[in-house]
Amino acid sequence: MSSVGSSRVSTTTSSVSSTPVSFCCQRCSRPLKLHSSLTDVSLKDIAHLTDGTSITPAPNTDYIANPPLPIHSRDGVDRRIIVENTSKDDFLVLAKPETAKTEAFCYKLRVAMQLFDILSENSEIDHPLCDDCTSQLFLQLDSQLRNLKNDCEGYRNVLISLQNQDSVTNAALDDEIEALKQEEEELIRQLQEVSEEQEKVVKELAELEIKDKEADKEAEMLCREVNKYQYRLQEVKSQSLCLDNELKYTERQLEKLKKTNVFNAVFPIWHEGHFGTINNYRLGRLPTFNVEWDEVNAAWGQTALCLYSLANCTGHIFHRYLVVPYGSASYILDGETKLPLFTNGGLRLFWDAKFDQGMVAFLDCLKQFLDFLEKKGNFRYPYKIDKSKIGDQKGFYSIKLHFNSEEQWTKSLKYMLTNLKWSLTFVVQHKLASS
């Protein structure tokens, strides 16, 4: 509830008692016109209502004060009082009361306020209320009263049903107690029978313990015999295991010897930087790293011997050419013409083209052998051969030394040894070589 609302009224002291003043409804805030009986309550009635704890004193004719318009109740609720402004002025001029009318007016307001405080303290509803709000409150209270009566009736019915159930439950409990007594007697009888059976079992258990001891002695003797036989069996197993290990070792050595191929041992092909190597002989030359021609000639001799051996083992025959491995002086026969796979270097190398012809002929023999292997099985060599050139998608390099750089010549020789290595591996894995 809000604080006291006041309007600015222009009146004099003589007209204070005639100023219309009313309370507001505490629910809808409409102004109320109080009944005269509320302001004519005697001190005795107020004392009866409050047990004499709070009595508004009677007006004193010597008391001179302005009428206290904002009145605060004891329960902390500010009662709203509307003072109607009958004057056209914006302010209220209060003069000293010369009569007791002003004090009587204040007294009536205090009495009405004290009655509303008593009503509010004794209930959960703030007073005063208008007729409409009072009617609505009565309807709400009637509805609550009906609900409470229905609840009481329901509780009364539940209580009666519980009382009826108690009588039925007591009879059932008596029957159950009687049944439990009979069951107790039966259990006592069964307990006696179990006790007698327990005594018999104890006697039988003692007899079984004696037999168990005798059985333990027999088992101990049997265990000793079994241990002897197991010891002898373990010795035999150890000897058999040693023989099996020796047999497995021999079989592994035999398998290893079977898988060992002379080509992998005799012709190890690898690489050393930019050079391809066979039996640790470098094949090629570089401007920054001059390899002796004797080493190059020895590498060509090993290469010719490897291709010759692979062709003989697989039964392949070269067309037009014949590879003649002759160490550092190996060559290719083209009919009656010898195409050397060696050179001494010097100025003769630039004027004599037979060394280039020999390398081209060897490359053609290698291509014939690789094509032969492709027909034998699923074999593909990494670098393609096109007459005197060898390479891949990145580029082809000539195997001729004339009109060619040493870097490209060395790279073409490395590609040639790689193809030869792949063919050697294929022959060894697929056992194309005869025993």
Side-chain angles (χ1 to χ4, degrees):
M1 291 177 288
S2 60
S3 302
V4 177
S6 61
S7 300
R8 287 173 288 182
V9 181
S10 177
T11 183
T12 60
T13 306
S14 60
S15 62
V16 170
S17 60
S18 64
T19 301
V21 178
S22 63
F23 288 86
C24 285
C25 177
Q26 299 303 304
R27 285 198 172 187
C28 62
S29 300
R30 289 190 299 181
L32 300 176
K33 184 177 181 181
L34 300 180
H35 195 271
S36 60
S37 61
L38 293 174
T39 58
D40 294 337
V41 181
S42 63
L43 295 176
K44 183 178 180 181
D45 294 334
I46 294 176
H48 177 69
L49 292 173
T50 61
D51 296 332
T53 56
S54 176
I55 300 175
T56 301
N60 188 1
T61 56
D62 297 334
Y63 173 76
I64 300 175
N66 294 328
L69 296 179
I71 301 175
H72 303 282
S73 60
R74 291 181 299 170
D75 57 356
V77 179
D78 295 337
R79 307 299 176 188
R80 288 174 286 183
I81 302 174
I82 298 175
V83 181
E84 297 181 0
N85 187 2
T86 58
S87 175
K88 296 181 179 179
D89 297 331
D90 294 335
F91 55 89
L92 177 65
V93 179
L94 299 177
K96 291 183 179 181
E98 296 177 356
T99 63
K101 292 182 179 181
T102 300
E103 187 175 356
F105 173 74
C106 295
Y107 173 74
K108 289 180 180 181
L109 288 179
R110 290 182 181 180
V111 169
M113 193 67 205
Q114 194 164 5
L115 288 175
F116 293 145
D117 287 343
I118 294 171
L119 291 174
S120 299
E121 289 177 356
N122 293 329
S123 66
E124 296 179 354
I125 303 168
D126 292 335
H127 292 276
L129 298 174
C130 63
D131 291 340
D132 293 338
C133 293
T134 303
S135 299
Q136 292 179 2
L137 180 61
F138 283 159
L139 292 176
Q140 293 178 1
L141 293 176
D142 289 340
S143 177
Q144 292 179 5
L145 181 60
R146 285 194 300 271
N147 293 334
L148 290 174
K149 285 182 178 180
N150 292 333
D151 292 342
C152 290
E153 186 66 24
Y155 293 149
R156 190 177 292 107
N157 294 333
V158 172
L159 180 61
I160 292 171
S161 63
L162 290 176
Q163 290 176 353
N164 294 332
Q165 289 179 1
D166 289 341
S167 60
V168 176
T169 305
N170 291 334
L173 289 175
D174 292 337
D175 295 339
E176 187 176 357
I177 291 172
E178 185 66 25
L180 290 174
K181 288 182 179 179
Q182 293 177 1
E183 186 178 358
E184 182 184 8
E185 293 176 357
E186 179 66 20
L187 291 174
I188 292 173
R189 185 182 62 78
Q190 293 179 2
L191 179 61
Q192 292 177 354
E193 293 178 357
V194 170
S195 299
E196 293 176 358
E197 291 179 359
Q198 184 180 7
E199 292 178 357
K200 293 180 181 179
V201 170
V202 170
K203 292 180 180 179
E204 291 178 358
L205 183 61
E207 294 176 358
L208 291 175
E209 287 179 353
I210 295 173
K211 293 180 180 180
D212 186 45
K213 291 180 180 179
E214 294 177 355
D216 289 340
K217 292 180 180 180
E218 294 178 359
E220 185 177 357
M221 294 175 63
L222 291 175
C223 286
R224 291 178 180 175
E225 294 294 331
V226 170
N227 289 336
K228 291 180 181 178
Y229 287 114
Q230 285 182 348
Y231 179 74
R232 292 177 60 186
L233 180 62
Q234 192 66 30
E235 288 182 346
V236 174
K237 285 183 177 181
S238 298
Q239 294 176 0
S240 176
L241 184 60
C242 291
L243 294 176
D244 289 340
N245 291 334
E246 291 179 0
L247 179 61
K248 289 179 180 179
Y249 176 76
T250 305
E251 290 176 350
R252 286 197 297 269
Q253 293 296 324
L254 179 61
E255 288 295 327
K256 186 176 180 181
L257 292 175
K258 287 181 180 180
K259 293 179 180 179
T260 301
N261 193 282
V262 68
F263 289 105
N264 291 327
V266 175
F267 302 107
I269 299 174
W270 199 239
H271 62 87
E272 182 180 332
H274 296 284
F275 298 99
T277 62
I278 179 169
N279 271 329
N280 295 324
Y281 293 118
R282 290 169 292 184
L283 189 59
R285 288 170 65 90
L286 290 175
T288 58
F289 200 93
N290 288 326
V291 180
E292 296 294 333
W293 285 110
D294 291 339
E295 184 177 349
V296 174
N297 295 334
W300 269 115
Q302 292 293 318
T303 304
L305 180 60
C306 179
L307 181 60
Y308 175 81
S309 301
L310 289 173
N312 287 340
C313 290
T314 55
H316 175 67
I317 299 175
F318 297 108
H319 299 287
R320 181 180 174 183
Y321 300 111
L322 178 63
V323 179
V324 180
Y326 201 65
S328 298
S330 301
Y331 56 90
I332 302 291
L333 276 178
D334 183 8
E336 297 295 332
T337 305
K338 291 184 179 181
L339 302 177
L341 293 175
F342 60 93
T343 182
N344 294 325
L347 295 175
R348 185 180 179 183
L349 177 63
F350 297 97
W351 293 102
D352 191 1
K354 288 187 177 181
F355 182 55
D356 286 345
Q357 294 175 1
M359 290 188 291
V360 173
F362 183 87
L363 190 62
D364 184 62
C365 293
L366 178 61
K367 186 177 185 307
Q368 292 180 29
F369 183 69
L370 294 175
D371 294 339
F372 169 75
L373 293 181
E374 280 187 337
K375 296 178 182 179
K376 288 290 185 180
N378 187 16
F379 173 73
R380 294 291 183 274
Y381 49 93
Y383 299 105
K384 302 299 180 181
I385 298 175
D386 184 14
K387 296 180 180 179
S388 63
K389 294 182 179 181
I390 184 172
D392 53 8
Q393 295 178 353
K394 295 180 180 179
F396 282 79
Y397 303 96
S398 176
I399 201 170
K400 293 181 179 181
L401 191 56
H402 283 78
F403 305 106
N404 193 11
S405 65
E406 291 183 343
E407 292 87 349
Q408 293 186 1
W409 179 61
T410 302
K411 184 170 290 188
S412 65
L413 295 176
K414 185 177 181 181
Y415 288 172
M416 180 192 68
L417 285 177
T418 303
N419 283 348
L420 185 62
K421 175 68 175 179
W422 278 53
S423 63
L424 187 149
T425 303
F426 181 80
V427 170
V428 171
Q429 289 181 352
H430 293 76
K431 299 180 180 179
L432 295 179
S434 61
S435 59

